[in-house]
Amino acid sequence: MAKMEFKAESKKLLDMVINSIYSKREVFLRELVSNSSDAMDKIYYRALTDDQISFDQDNYYIKLVPNKDTRTLKVIDTGIGMTKEELESNLGTIARSGSFNFKNENEIKDGHDIIGQFGVGFYAAFMVADRVTVTTKSIDSEEAYQWQSQGSDGYEIKPVQKDEPGTEIVLEIKENTDEDNYDEFLEEYRLRQIVKKYSDFIRYPIKMDVTESKPKEGSEEEYEEVVSEQTINSMVPIWKKNKSELTDEDYENFYKEKHYGFDTPLKHLHINVDGSIRYNAILYIPENAPYNYYTREYEKGLELYSNGVLIMDKCADLLPDYFSFVKGMVDSEDLSLNISREMLQHDRQLKLIEKNINKKIKKELQNILRDDRDKYESFFKAFGQQLKFGVYSDYGANKEVLQDLLLFHSSKEKKLVTLEEYVSRMPEDQKYIYYAIGDSIDRIDKLPQTEMVAEKGYEILYFTEEIDEFAIKMLMNYKEKEFKSVSSGDLGIDEEENEEAKEKEEENKELFDAMKEVLAGKVKNVRASKRLKSHPVCLTAEGDISIEMEKVINAMPDNQQIQADKVLEINVDHEVFQSLKQSYEKDKDKLNLFTNLLYNQALLIEGLPINDPVEFTRDICKVMVP
């Protein structure tokens, strides 16, 4: 029996398979099990057209046989087997796949599909084995053959005795090293774990002799180890079952089994698509955000299966960032995968699935919002910030998708409302959607800037999260109604009152100019207010940068410092203004004192730091002392 060399560039490719292509050694078992499943599928398809072959699914299985004494792991199947020519063709040329050829030559129907489309999968065995021996007998041959290799040096093929069609692969597991533990691939619990993770939904039974500790017959205290053959995979995935057969409990159990979260999901979606792209999916909207959800450590993505075989733990490309809270899985027959099956080729099929899933998630969230408001508000409390980030990010590219899912606290309703609800009850004379910004609802309720808008009977949206105003600035308008801050220079309210404020500003121009000089470098202007009713003073901003934006950006760790163009507004109808006028006419030092006090008071109302707290307290003492 002469040793045969691998063909073409196979030596180099085999080295890549062993050392580079696969990210985890454990996937070798996924590849071998998938090949075994393919071997049985091939008999199934032959039986459809060949009357000489009968297919009884009970006769087809895969068996794992670990042996610690001999350091071997056997993978046995009752599939179609290989002839000598097929052994040479499929295992002698790396990246040649009999499954791939078979799939191209046969139309796949009836929910069966060939998994192993890439000829490198078998060679993943060399990541854990020093020697691999394949004994096989084809359904089309009376002869059986054995293929054996220790890796890139080549392989040998010889005739052997084997009674039944099928294939037996024996892996001689490597010895442990200081860095690597290969013993794990001989442990029952570890093999079960790997099968559960990657191959749980292979449609044929994966069997293994399992050792269990059971009470001895006639004794309650003595135990003995009992070995029994067990099927260690589920075979039928939940997403292939009829929705009518499944209960909410079934979906919740699957959520917990897959460790998608420790909570109970708010909602699940079971999707079956059979069109230009075929896929099944089960998606979950969680109840609570993971502890690290709003950190860089959080990794989004759905589990991705190809014909029931796990390909990726977290496929990020299936979810947009703004729906990154969604958990679940997708199983497709149509994906183009790379040679290791661990990464997707970014092709049209993947984009179609992502686009479709995106629409399904949005529709489901809209349904919850419409039909179960309490449940939606619970969801929004956990993930609303992410939706707002989605509006702001990518230069507002997704704002049309997300705007109807947003909620904000309402000054009138005293609860969360949608933009649609706000606009639907706007009075005819109201030009803008008004909003106010603060650290809390209670603080916004007390803001002086809200007085004019509230007096007009207009509803105000309360922004209490840092992202709120950034998102709204990106949104710009909703149903042709622009957003306007109650702190903006022009509120767009009652021209008559605006004219009155302008007249009073002109009357007191010298006073305001003097105050502006006192606050040089701190405010852009001092003027009469048209928004204040009971409060004496407030700060507003001109331009695109609001006072809240200044606070948020300046608090960021990159030390980027910006400054809003602040305006100090004075209520000319407040008794404090009379004191200002008198001090301007009689005591310029007192005017300076009052101006600084009012400015610092306005800073405190806005939640901004006072530049010199000691000076501020001294100024208060000066006012208190006659």
Side-chain angles (χ1 to χ4, degrees):
M1 177 178 60
K3 177 169 280 191
M4 303 173 71
E5 295 290 325
F6 285 116
K7 298 177 183 178
E9 295 297 318
S10 293
K11 288 185 180 181
K12 188 180 292 185
L13 184 54
L14 178 56
D15 184 65
M16 289 175 61
V17 172
I18 296 171
N19 298 304
S20 316
I21 291 179
Y22 292 97
S23 60
K24 298 176 182 177
R25 287 195 186 93
E26 63 188 30
V27 300
F28 84 90
L29 191 56
R30 176 192 71 183
E31 298 300 308
L32 298 183
V33 167
S34 296
N35 289 343
S36 293
S37 176
D38 289 347
M40 290 178 280
D41 279 344
K42 289 175 183 178
I43 294 183
Y44 169 79
Y45 287 111
R46 285 278 296 275
L48 294 177
T49 56
D50 189 339
D51 294 336
Q52 302 297 315
I53 299 174
S54 62
F55 185 84
D56 182 355
Q57 188 148 342
D58 292 339
N59 295 329
Y60 297 95
Y61 62 86
I62 301 161
K63 184 158 186 179
L64 307 182
V65 184
N67 188 319
K68 293 181 182 179
D69 294 332
T70 59
R71 291 193 68 79
T72 58
L73 172 64
K74 293 181 182 178
V75 181
I76 304 167
D77 71 63
T78 57
I80 198 167
M82 287 178 279
T83 63
K84 182 181 179 183
E85 291 73 22
E86 287 169 334
L87 266 178
E88 290 180 347
S89 176
N90 295 338
L91 302 191
T93 305
I94 301 177
R96 165 77 177 264
S97 171
S99 297
F100 182 73
N101 292 340
F102 185 89
K103 183 172 183 177
N104 286 340
E105 292 166 6
N106 294 270
E107 186 178 358
I108 306 303
K109 299 177 180 176
D110 302 327
H112 286 66
D113 202 355
I114 302 300
I115 300 167
Q117 296 182 36
F118 306 97
V120 300
F122 167 79
Y123 296 92
F126 287 102
M127 292 192 295
V128 302
D130 287 324
R131 188 200 310 264
V132 178
T133 303
V134 180
T135 303
T136 185
K137 181 181 180 183
S138 170
I139 197 172
D140 298 318
S141 174
E142 293 296 324
E143 300 293 329
Y145 293 90
Q146 186 179 87
W147 179 100
Q148 190 174 85
S149 175
Q150 290 179 277
S152 57
D153 287 345
Y155 61 93
E156 296 173 340
I157 296 178
K158 66 179 181 180
V160 292
Q161 181 64 37
K162 191 177 190 302
D163 296 330
E164 300 295 331
T167 299
E168 175 183 289
I169 302 173
V170 179
L171 285 69
E172 297 179 27
I173 302 299
K174 294 178 180 181
E175 295 289 343
N176 291 340
T177 66
D178 291 338
E179 294 82 22
D180 301 304
N181 173 28
Y182 293 99
D183 284 353
E184 62 177 316
F185 303 119
L186 296 169
E187 297 288 349
E188 289 178 17
Y189 79 91
R190 183 68 175 113
L191 296 172
R192 294 178 71 173
Q193 192 180 57
I194 296 171
V195 167
K196 188 73 177 173
K197 180 177 181 180
Y198 294 103
S199 307
D200 197 33
F201 306 116
I202 290 288
R203 66 181 62 88
Y204 302 100
I206 302 172
K207 299 180 180 183
M208 189 170 69
D209 290 341
V210 175
T211 305
E212 294 178 304
S213 183
K214 293 185 177 181
K216 279 188 177 181
E217 192 173 343
S219 173
E220 295 182 0
E221 297 182 1
E222 290 188 79
Y223 286 79
E224 61 181 348
E225 289 191 343
V226 178
V227 178
S228 61
E229 185 180 76
Q230 296 181 13
T231 297
I232 59 174
N233 64 319
S234 302
M235 290 189 285
V236 181
I238 184 174
W239 59 86
K240 289 285 183 73
K241 294 180 180 178
N242 236 312
K243 295 178 189 178
S244 59
E245 299 174 18
L246 299 167
T247 64
D248 288 342
E249 187 178 2
D250 291 324
Y251 290 109
E252 288 174 14
N253 287 339
F254 184 69
Y255 181 85
K256 290 170 184 173
E257 284 172 12
K258 301 301 290 180
H259 304 294
Y260 293 143
F262 297 104
D263 56 345
T264 300
L266 281 178
K267 201 75 176 178
H268 67 262
L269 295 80
H270 191 160
I271 305 168
N272 302 109
V273 175
D274 191 8
S276 57
I277 178 78
R278 296 172 296 168
Y279 75 92
N280 298 305
I282 295 180
L283 308 178
Y284 295 93
I285 298 169
E287 181 180 28
N288 302 316
Y291 72 94
N292 64 342
Y293 183 68
Y294 289 105
T295 70
R296 291 181 179 178
E297 284 71 40
Y298 180 78
E299 188 179 357
K300 72 166 182 172
L302 302 176
E303 285 188 321
L304 180 65
Y305 291 80
S306 178
N307 297 290
V309 177
L310 180 65
I311 303 303
M312 295 178 69
D313 286 322
K314 290 186 178 179
C315 179
D317 294 325
L318 288 171
L319 287 175
D321 284 344
Y322 52 82
F323 287 156
S324 61
F325 49 82
V326 174
K327 302 289 186 181
M329 52 66 57
V330 172
D331 183 17
S332 176
E333 303 172 7
D334 300 325
L335 292 173
S336 298
L337 309 174
N338 75 348
I339 58 175
S340 71
R341 291 202 290 219
E342 293 183 330
M343 292 182 289
L344 294 167
Q345 307 289 4
H346 294 270
D347 59 10
R348 178 173 167 274
Q349 286 87 351
L350 180 64
K351 290 176 182 175
L352 282 173
I353 294 176
E354 188 270 343
K355 185 178 180 181
N356 192 273
I357 283 175
N358 198 16
K359 288 180 180 177
K360 298 279 187 184
I361 295 170
K362 180 187 175 181
K363 185 177 179 181
E364 190 61 32
L365 289 173
Q366 287 178 314
N367 291 342
I368 301 171
L369 175 59
R370 183 191 66 233
D371 301 331
D372 194 338
R373 186 59 170 253
D374 289 342
K375 184 176 282 190
Y376 187 82
E377 289 186 13
S378 176
F379 153 78
F380 197 81
K381 183 179 179 181
F383 301 108
Q385 193 173 356
Q386 187 65 20
L387 299 184
K388 295 170 189 174
F389 275 120
V391 171
Y392 174 72
S393 62
D394 297 325
Y395 304 98
N398 305 300
K399 61 185 182 181
E400 299 293 330
V401 177
L402 299 172
Q403 60 185 5
D404 288 316
L405 298 174
L406 302 180
L407 296 179
F408 299 100
H409 187 84
S410 159
S411 62
K412 273 192 174 181
E413 297 292 314
K414 305 298 181 186
K415 63 180 183 181
L416 293 170
V417 301
T418 66
L419 296 176
E420 166 65 32
E421 289 164 346
Y422 180 104
V423 170
S424 68
R425 49 178 174 256
M426 283 175 60
E428 285 187 19
D429 65 335
Q430 183 178 340
K431 300 175 185 176
Y432 301 102
I433 299 172
Y434 292 101
Y435 64 88
I437 307 166
D439 295 335
S440 67
I441 291 169
D442 185 57
R443 288 195 67 168
I444 297 175
D445 270 334
K446 298 172 183 175
L447 281 178
Q449 293 93 324
T450 63
E451 287 189 312
M452 166 70 80
V453 178
E455 188 180 74
K456 295 292 291 184
Y458 298 158
E459 190 171 4
I460 303 170
L461 298 177
Y462 287 5
F463 291 177
T464 57
E465 292 183 327
E466 292 179 351
I467 187 61
D468 287 345
E469 189 176 20
F470 291 90
I472 288 302
K473 290 281 187 184
M474 194 62 71
L475 201 55
M476 294 194 297
N477 62 70
Y478 180 80
K479 294 197 172 178
E480 300 181 353
K481 296 288 185 181
E482 289 183 35
F483 293 92
K484 188 170 284 290
S485 169
V486 296
S487 298
S488 64
D490 180 15
L491 290 175
I493 294 177
D494 206 324
E495 290 300 321
E496 185 178 328
E497 292 191 29
N498 283 349
E499 288 302 319
E500 185 179 337
K502 285 179 183 177
E503 288 175 13
K504 289 185 177 179
E505 194 167 318
E506 287 299 320
E507 289 175 17
N508 299 281
K509 185 177 185 306
E510 292 182 0
L511 166 60
F512 291 137
D513 285 345
M515 295 178 70
K516 180 179 175 182
E517 189 175 333
V518 173
L519 299 174
K522 298 177 181 176
V523 298
K524 186 177 181 180
N525 204 1
V526 179
R527 66 181 175 217
S529 178
K530 50 183 176 282
R531 77 191 75 227
L532 293 174
K533 296 299 176 181
S534 63
H535 289 79
V537 67
C538 72
L539 279 175
T540 60
E542 293 181 348
D544 293 332
I545 301 172
S546 70
I547 293 172
E548 282 300 315
M549 283 184 173
E550 175 187 311
K551 287 196 291 186
V552 172
I553 293 173
N554 290 349
M556 290 181 178
D558 58 4
N559 293 320
Q560 181 183 357
Q561 297 295 304
I562 64 166
Q563 191 169 353
D565 290 331
K566 300 182 187 70
V567 175
L568 187 70
E569 292 198 1
I570 307 296
N571 183 356
V572 295
D573 295 324
H574 197 280
E575 56 189 350
V576 164
F577 182 66
Q578 298 308 315
S579 298
L580 284 171
K581 288 182 71 174
Q582 290 173 14
S583 63
Y584 173 69
E585 294 167 0
K586 300 177 181 178
D587 189 343
K588 293 297 172 63
D589 288 338
K590 188 169 281 190
L591 176 65
N592 292 351
L593 173 66
F594 288 166
T595 299
N596 281 319
L597 277 172
L598 285 172
Y599 172 69
N600 284 323
Q601 181 183 334
L603 287 177
L604 287 173
I605 291 170
E606 289 298 322
L608 290 168
I610 294 172
N611 293 332
D612 191 341
V614 175
E615 183 182 7
F616 177 59
T617 56
R618 285 174 181 164
D619 287 346
I620 292 175
C621 290
K622 289 177 186 177
V623 173
M624 294 175 69
V625 176

